[in-house]
Amino acid sequence: MSVATAASVISAFALMRVIGALPAGRLVDRFGESPVMAAGIGIVAVSSIMAGFSRSFAELLVLRGVGGFGSAMYSISAQALLLATVPSEQRGRASGLYSGSFLIGGIGGPAIGGLISAWSLRAPFFIYGIMLLIPSSIALVRLRGAASQRLPSSPKTGCLGWVRGKNTVQAPARPFSSLAAVLRNRAYVAAAVANLADGFAILGVRSAIIPLFVHAVLHKSPVWTGIGFGVFTGLNGLVLLPGGRLADTLGRRPVIVAGCLISAGGLVMLAVLPGTGAFLAALAVAGFGSGLLDVAPSAMIGDLLDGRGGTLVAAYQMAGDTGAVTGPVAAGFLVDSVSYSAAFGVAAGVLGVAAVLGLAAPETRGRAAPEPRQGAETSTTASYEQ
C-alpha cells in the first residue's frame, strides 16, 4: 500500500467528522447527549472491528468513513454534556481536563498501536473496537441521568437569553435557526475562529510541515522531529490546568487572545530563527499557546449555551476540524510555491486574525445578559445579537 493510499484512510475518517458534525449536533439536540454518545462510540467500535475483517481497500475506506461520523457523534455529545453540566466558574479547568485526556490518548494510542501492528496490521482495529465497547456502555448506563444535572439558564452564567424580571427568553427550538442566530454573536464567532486557527496552524501545519522542515531545512534526522513534538506536547499538557484556572478567574477573552498571540509568536520564530535550538524553543512557545487555546474557547462556548447546544458545539468543533484539514493543504502549497517561512507566516497570520476577533468579543464569564430595549421584540433571534 502506498503512502497516499494509507493517508486517504486517515483522511476519510477526518472528512466524515467534518461532514457529519452538524447532523450529529442535531441528533444531540433531538435525543440528548447520553444516547448519542453511546451510539457514536458504538458506531466507531463496530466499524473498527469490521475494518479489521475488511478484504479490500474500498471496504476499509467506507468503514473508516462511517467511524468518522460516529466519532463526530461522540465528541460533540461529550463536549456538549461537559459544558452544560459544569458551573461557569469551573468550566475552564474542566475543559483543560477534557483536553488533557485526549492528549494522553493521542500520545499513548499511536505508540501502543505501533507495537501491536508489528505483530498484525489487523489487530489494532480489533483491540480498538473492543475497548470502545466499554465507554459506550458507560455512556448508555451511567450517564443516562446526567442530563438532569444540566445547569439552568441564568443571567449570571452568561447564557444566550435575554432576562427581564422573571421571564427568560429561551434559545430557539430549531437547531439551525439557533446556529444562524448565534453566528451574529461576537463571542461565539471569536471562540469558533480561535478553534479554527488552532486547528489550522497548530494541528494542521505543525503535523504536516514540521517533519519536512526538519529534514529539508535543519538537515536533521527524524529523531529531532520526535523531540520537537515531545517539547510541544509537554508544554501543551503542562499549561492545560493553569490555563483553565486563568480562564475561570481572569476571563475567557484574555486567555484566548494570549493563546493566539503566543502560538503565532512560536510560528514566527520558526519562520525567522535558524538552528536546532531555535526550532525547539519555537515549538515550546507554540505548545504553550496551544494549551491556552485548548481551554478558553470551549469554556466561552459553554458560557453561551442555553439548554441543549448540540448544533452550536458541532459548529464549533467543525471549525477546528476544518482548520486541521485545510492547514496541511495550504501549508504544503506555500512550501512548494514559496518557502517554509511563508507557510509558517501565513499560519501565524491566521492566529493573528483570531486574536483580533478575540479582542473585539465581549467577556462571557459570569456576564449578566442585558435587558432588551423598550419596544424591542423579545424574540429568540434578538438574544443572540450581542
Side-chain angles (χ1 to χ4, degrees):
M1 181 181 291
S2 67
V3 174
T5 301
S8 65
V9 175
I10 301 173
S11 298
F13 188 93
L15 182 61
M16 282 305 299
R17 272 183 57 92
V18 176
I19 295 174
L22 290 180
R26 296 195 69 177
L27 290 175
V28 172
D29 289 329
R30 175 66 178 83
F31 299 105
E33 292 90 349
S34 177
V36 174
M37 190 189 310
I41 300 174
I43 289 172
V44 180
V46 173
S47 64
S48 296
I49 293 173
M50 292 178 65
F53 289 110
S54 60
R55 297 182 178 277
S56 68
F57 173 72
E59 290 180 7
L60 179 61
L61 197 65
V62 170
L63 289 168
R64 292 307 290 160
V66 172
F69 180 70
S71 176
M73 292 173 61
Y74 156 70
S75 60
I76 289 166
S77 58
Q79 188 163 34
L81 181 62
L82 175 80
L83 295 177
T85 55
V86 174
S88 175
E89 62 272 13
Q90 299 176 4
R91 199 166 278 141
R93 281 164 285 183
S95 297
L97 288 172
Y98 182 76
S99 298
S101 66
F102 274 94
L103 184 65
I104 294 172
I107 295 173
I112 297 174
L115 294 175
I116 296 173
S117 62
W119 167 58
S120 169
L121 290 176
R122 295 179 182 270
F125 291 107
F126 296 133
I127 295 174
Y128 179 52
I130 293 172
M131 290 180 63
L132 283 174
L133 295 176
I134 300 173
S136 179
S137 302
I138 293 174
L140 187 61
V141 178
R142 300 288 295 178
L143 297 181
R144 182 179 299 175
S148 64
Q149 302 173 16
R150 185 183 311 278
L151 297 175
S153 175
S154 72
K156 292 184 179 180
T157 61
C159 292
L160 289 177
W162 292 116
V163 177
R164 188 175 186 179
K166 296 183 179 180
N167 298 321
T168 301
V169 179
Q170 297 296 331
R174 296 179 59 189
F176 279 102
S177 297
S178 172
L179 179 59
V182 81
L183 287 177
R184 293 194 290 272
N185 181 274
R186 289 177 295 158
Y188 184 88
V189 171
V193 173
N195 198 32
L196 186 149
D198 188 41
F200 182 97
I202 303 304
L203 297 178
V205 173
R206 175 186 64 91
S207 300
I209 302 302
I210 290 299
L212 303 176
F213 177 79
V214 169
H215 173 74
V217 177
L218 297 181
H219 305 293
K220 297 291 184 179
S221 70
V223 172
W224 283 97
T225 299
I227 294 173
F229 282 177
V231 170
F232 179 96
T233 303
L235 267 295
N236 183 284
L238 286 175
V239 79
L240 287 176
L241 289 182
R245 186 176 294 275
L246 287 175
D248 288 335
T249 54
L250 296 180
R252 324 302 192 199
R253 185 175 66 173
V255 178
I256 289 176
V257 173
C260 289
L261 294 179
I262 293 172
S263 296
L267 291 171
V268 170
M269 290 171 63
L270 280 172
V272 301
L273 298 180
T276 305
F279 163 73
L280 296 178
L283 287 184
V285 172
F288 185 94
S290 181
L292 297 178
L293 292 179
D294 285 339
V295 296
S298 59
M300 179 174 277
I301 293 295
D303 295 338
L304 302 177
L305 296 183
D306 191 1
R308 282 183 179 158
T311 302
L312 305 186
V313 173
Y316 168 75
Q317 287 197 13
M318 188 171 67
D321 287 339
T322 300
V325 171
T326 58
V329 177
F333 174 79
L334 288 169
V335 168
D336 290 337
S337 58
V338 187
S339 66
Y340 283 96
S341 294
F344 294 135
V346 167
V350 173
L351 286 162
V353 171
V356 172
L357 291 175
L359 281 172
E363 179 56 59
T364 61
R365 181 186 64 87
R367 178 174 58 89
E371 293 187 2
R373 296 185 300 273
Q374 292 292 334
E377 292 184 0
T378 56
S379 66
T380 54
T381 302
S383 70
Y384 289 93
E385 295 176 344
Q386 299 181 42

